[in-house]
Amino acid sequence: MPRGPHPCRRAARWQRRIGWPLALAMLLPAGTAHAAAFVPGTQEPDPPTGDTTTSAPAMSAAEPLAGSGIRWVLAPWRTSGTLSLDLRTQRQDDGTRSRQSLLFGDIDFASYIWQPWFIQLRAGLGLLVAHDRSNQDTVSSVGGGSSSLTGRFALSVFPSSRFPFELRTDVSDSRARGDALGAAYRSQRLSLSQGWRPAAGNENVHLTLDHSRLIVADGGTDTLTTLQAIGTHQRVGHSVDLGASFSRNERSDSAQQSRLAALSARHSYHPTSGFRVETLATQNNVRLRGADSDDIGSDVRQISTLVSWQPRESGLPQGRMPEGEARRYPDAPLQVTGSARWVEAGSSTNGASARVQAFNATLGVAKELSRTWRLAAAASLGRVDGDATPPLDNGSVSGSVTWAPAALSRSGWQYAPTVSTSGSFSQTSLDEGRRSASLQLAHSLSRSVVVGSGHRLALAVSQSAAARHDSGADAISKALAHSASMSWQSSGDDASQTVAGLTLSDSRAWARERGSFQLVNLQLTRRTQLSRSASWSANLTLQVSRNSSSELDPFSGQQRTLAPGWQQFHSGSLSYANQRIFGVPRLRFTALLAANSQQLERRSVGDIDAPLERISRSLEGRLDYAIGRLEARLIARQANVDGKSVSAVFARLQRRF
């Protein structure tokens, strides 16, 4: 039986027959037509509804109209497109090298039916032809050719109305982006969106459905489906927010699955400035299946209500009380807060499940006796009921007195002392009760200094001490904490801006054993215009912490969670841009360094735009040069992709028309 041509030969034949003619087309002149978004504007009034019309010059005098005056006519298509030639080389840390030559042609179409605000249409079609060659240090080179079709379509119905609808579908190839690292994959995506709001009123409803499928070259797939619904309603004194979301993610290469579902409803009642009721109900369901076939699930549902009430004194009518000063009078009214919360949670692992229910209610009152003294009291009741343990009832009462005088000013420095003492009694159905008393002392020193024009430096240091005694403890828990912070803000005449902050804190505790906690946090944002065409910017967040004890915290009365060693988090980017590098017009240079110790965007948690692979570190240098519609780009990039080091060089020549 005769055999067909080898796939590599077919790809090479595509390049000879189609590739070079498309490349030469880059040198052809282009017209001025291009695809552009239709911006709704003032429209001419529609002619009267009838069988014919003679008033509109754009219509034929004998053109029939629909019963509503709609002409089902397609406007002339607007087109635009690109032709791209790419050369790429890539090296991984295991010694694998690969080279690619790509030819990509793409064309866009845009039109509308009757009027731009009625129905808008967009479409696109692309063809990618690639030739790959890869080899390792100990393996001979392996080559192959491939081709890929891409396309997209978008339909927008009544985009400027109270009920806009949008449909989008897209089939793309990651190699067409021109700077993709890691494994090549195809993306298939379908999106539906529907909104609605009434002609009068403050209601709003929005529904969104997204389905995304990423297909890797080796056949693995990553499928994600998300559904989101949001509704709001506002009326005098009332506000209601409703929300629902669902996401399902599956990966065929590792058999990992995740399913997340959430429902929420919030009601706010705020009839007066001194009374507010907030009610929130939520339900969350999570199902995870790992590569080792472990099936883990959890669900949490809760209802909580918060009430805040600040009655006015009859002797101080609201009209005579300065705005924002109600609580600053010696005979200011009480501030009353109350809350109630019910929670039910369940978890399951490979069929073994457990559930727990909890209810808690609190009531608190606070009164400012003067500008210096403040009294507060609180009470709470609760119940916890689990499958494996008997019900546990608990209750507590507490009170506190705080002395916080106004800050003293000396030579530009602000000094503020604070003294607070509190006592509490708590009891559960399993013990005889627990009594505790605490004393806290704190003082701080701060200053803000203007340095030159547009520069401000703020300094602050503080020290606090606490002692706490519990009836069930053998000794008094003591703690001493220090913190220092510095922030810098500046803005120059050259449009440069800087915001930087550094915070240091250290806490030591003494109880049955010694413990310590340290925290360092650095924030930096900087943008500098070096010249008319050059600028650089930086964004950095760095935080490290260490906790060497799990003792009771005398400041909060909570048990600390022991985390051995230093825990660090960092996220930042540094960029430099020059629109006229080496003094050459239209020659642009961009350098970008980005790093992130945590993956904030993940498809497993429902982020439809998250990348397939995690890039934790990336260093990129880019040169761009444009002459009319002809653009050239050269990129050198080194990155850490899913824990593997990848180095790559990209070269692209692109023609727009």
Side-chain angles (χ1 to χ4, degrees):
M1 184 175 182
R3 298 174 60 186
H6 193 273
C8 297
R9 297 177 181 175
R10 290 199 299 267
R13 192 176 302 168
W14 271 97
Q15 290 179 322
R16 289 195 301 268
R17 294 183 178 180
I18 299 179
W20 294 114
L22 289 176
L24 293 175
M26 294 184 178
L27 304 178
L28 297 178
T32 57
H34 59 88
F38 295 103
V39 179
T42 304
Q43 304 294 332
E44 295 294 332
D46 297 332
T49 302
D51 296 333
T52 61
T53 179
T54 58
S55 60
M59 303 178 184
S60 172
E63 181 180 8
L65 298 176
S68 59
I70 299 175
R71 291 194 306 153
W72 296 96
V73 178
L74 190 66
W77 289 95
R78 297 181 180 181
T79 60
S80 70
T82 60
L83 283 174
S84 304
L85 286 174
D86 288 10
L87 297 176
R88 309 177 185 179
T89 178
Q90 185 171 292
R91 177 184 174 86
Q92 299 184 9
D93 54 2
D94 60 358
T96 303
R97 297 183 181 89
S98 63
R99 293 187 298 274
Q100 284 185 337
S101 56
L102 301 173
L103 175 62
F104 181 64
D106 186 72
I107 186 170
D108 280 318
F109 306 92
S111 183
Y112 60 88
I113 296 177
W114 185 35
Q115 298 289 351
W117 48 263
F118 187 61
I119 298 178
Q120 297 180 8
L121 300 172
R122 282 183 172 275
L125 184 64
L127 172 63
L128 184 145
V129 179
H131 180 75
D132 305 325
R133 182 174 294 274
S134 63
N135 67 296
Q136 290 185 339
D137 297 335
T138 58
V139 182
S140 59
S141 62
V142 178
S146 63
S147 60
S148 174
L149 284 175
T150 64
R152 55 202 166 276
F153 176 76
L155 171 67
S156 182
V157 183
F158 305 132
S160 302
S161 68
R162 298 182 289 104
F163 36 87
F165 170 80
E166 188 173 33
L167 166 86
R168 289 180 178 269
T169 180
D170 181 270
V171 178
S172 61
D173 195 304
S174 64
R175 296 173 294 178
R177 297 207 315 261
D179 59 351
L181 291 174
Y185 60 89
R186 288 178 60 82
S187 172
Q188 302 172 355
R189 183 168 177 178
L190 173 66
S191 301
L192 296 173
S193 175
Q194 177 69 68
W196 176 83
R197 61 179 178 84
N202 293 325
E203 291 82 14
N204 189 15
V205 176
H206 192 81
L207 302 175
T208 304
L209 172 64
D210 268 310
H211 177 77
S212 170
R213 189 183 186 193
L214 306 181
I215 306 173
V216 189
D218 60 3
T221 61
D222 185 305
T223 305
L224 174 62
T225 302
T226 65
L227 175 64
Q228 187 175 31
I230 299 175
T232 62
H233 171 78
Q234 292 182 353
R235 190 168 292 182
V236 179
H238 293 270
S239 175
V240 178
D241 296 321
L242 302 175
S245 64
F246 173 83
S247 69
R248 182 184 179 90
N249 177 240
E250 296 180 348
R251 298 194 64 164
S252 62
D253 56 349
S254 60
Q256 293 181 351
Q257 296 181 5
S258 66
R259 187 184 67 186
L260 290 77
L263 295 173
S264 66
R266 185 187 68 87
H267 174 258
S268 177
Y269 179 57
H270 192 196
T272 64
S273 60
F275 184 74
R276 177 185 291 272
V277 180
E278 296 277 352
T279 302
L280 176 65
T282 62
Q283 178 170 344
N284 295 273
N285 186 287
V286 178
R287 287 292 182 271
L288 303 175
R289 175 173 292 178
D292 51 2
S293 300
D294 285 340
D295 191 356
I296 302 174
S298 66
D299 62 278
V300 179
R301 57 179 64 95
Q302 64 173 340
I303 300 176
S304 61
T305 298
L306 175 65
V307 181
S308 176
W309 181 42
Q310 185 177 339
R312 300 276 180 176
E313 293 284 352
S314 58
L316 293 172
Q318 182 175 353
R320 294 178 54 189
M321 192 170 295
E323 182 67 24
E325 290 291 325
R327 292 180 295 164
R328 304 304 301 177
Y329 283 89
D331 52 351
L334 290 175
Q335 185 176 6
V336 183
T337 58
S339 67
R341 184 185 182 190
W342 173 82
V343 180
E344 182 180 17
S347 63
S348 62
T349 303
N350 297 330
S353 61
R355 303 199 65 82
V356 62
Q357 293 186 14
F359 174 79
N360 180 261
T362 64
L363 177 65
V365 294
K367 182 176 180 63
E368 293 190 5
L369 303 179
S370 66
R371 296 179 181 270
T372 303
W373 292 92
R374 178 183 177 88
L375 294 177
S380 68
L381 292 173
R383 181 183 177 90
V384 179
D385 190 359
D387 293 339
T389 59
L392 177 65
D393 299 319
N394 61 82
S396 66
V397 293
S398 63
S400 65
V401 180
T402 303
W403 177 72
L408 304 177
S409 300
R410 292 292 185 275
S411 302
W413 291 90
Q414 301 287 326
Y415 176 75
T418 302
V419 178
S420 176
T421 181
S422 63
S424 65
F425 173 78
S426 60
Q427 186 174 5
T428 68
S429 56
L430 300 179
D431 57 33
E432 298 180 353
R434 170 185 167 190
R435 298 174 179 83
S436 65
S438 66
L439 175 66
Q440 297 185 22
L441 308 174
H443 57 150
S444 63
L445 191 64
S446 61
R447 183 176 185 178
S448 180
V449 183
V450 177
V451 183
S453 176
H455 305 279
R456 181 180 294 274
L457 176 65
L459 302 172
V461 293
S462 65
Q463 182 185 53
S464 56
R468 184 182 185 91
H469 176 68
D470 288 301
S471 57
D474 299 333
I476 297 178
S477 301
K478 300 177 288 296
L480 182 64
H482 298 84
S483 66
S485 63
M486 178 179 64
S487 63
W488 173 269
Q489 296 183 5
S490 68
S491 58
D493 298 334
D494 57 351
S496 299
Q497 295 180 343
T498 303
V499 178
L502 175 64
T503 301
L504 307 173
S505 64
D506 177 85
S507 177
R508 310 277 173 166
W510 297 268
R512 291 175 299 178
E513 61 182 28
R514 291 177 178 268
S516 63
F517 177 79
Q518 291 84 32
L519 174 69
V520 180
N521 182 274
L522 174 65
Q523 302 276 344
L524 173 64
T525 300
R526 171 72 176 178
R527 187 186 185 280
T528 301
Q529 193 72 29
L530 300 175
S531 64
R532 182 178 179 181
S533 58
S535 64
W536 73 273
S537 62
N539 293 279
L540 175 65
T541 298
L542 175 63
Q543 179 172 298
V544 293
S545 62
R546 183 179 67 174
N547 180 25
S548 61
S549 175
S550 60
E551 289 293 321
L552 189 72
D553 185 8
F555 290 104
S556 62
Q558 302 294 326
Q559 196 81 15
R560 281 178 173 169
T561 301
L562 179 61
W566 286 95
Q567 308 296 316
Q568 66 90 19
F569 165 79
H570 67 267
S571 174
S573 63
L574 177 65
S575 65
Y576 170 81
N578 194 319
Q579 304 298 319
R580 197 184 178 99
I581 192 70
F582 305 128
V584 180
R586 298 182 301 279
L587 180 61
R588 303 186 305 273
F589 173 73
T590 305
L592 176 63
L593 172 64
N596 196 326
S597 61
Q598 295 182 1
Q599 186 179 9
L600 304 179
E601 300 174 345
R602 291 184 295 171
R603 292 174 63 86
S604 60
V605 296
D607 192 340
I608 198 79
D609 296 316
L612 178 64
E613 298 170 308
R614 177 193 175 192
I615 300 179
S616 57
R617 185 185 68 254
S618 175
L619 175 61
E620 178 181 334
R622 175 182 299 180
L623 276 173
D624 293 280
Y625 186 64
I627 302 178
R629 296 176 180 267
L630 188 63
E631 300 176 358
R633 171 173 292 179
L634 179 64
I635 300 176
R637 191 175 184 188
Q638 200 283 329
N640 188 286
V641 182
D642 279 346
K644 300 179 181 179
S645 179
V646 179
S647 302
V649 176
F650 306 89
R652 163 169 285 197
L653 184 64
Q654 181 172 272
R655 176 68 157 84
R656 298 182 182 274
F657 62 91

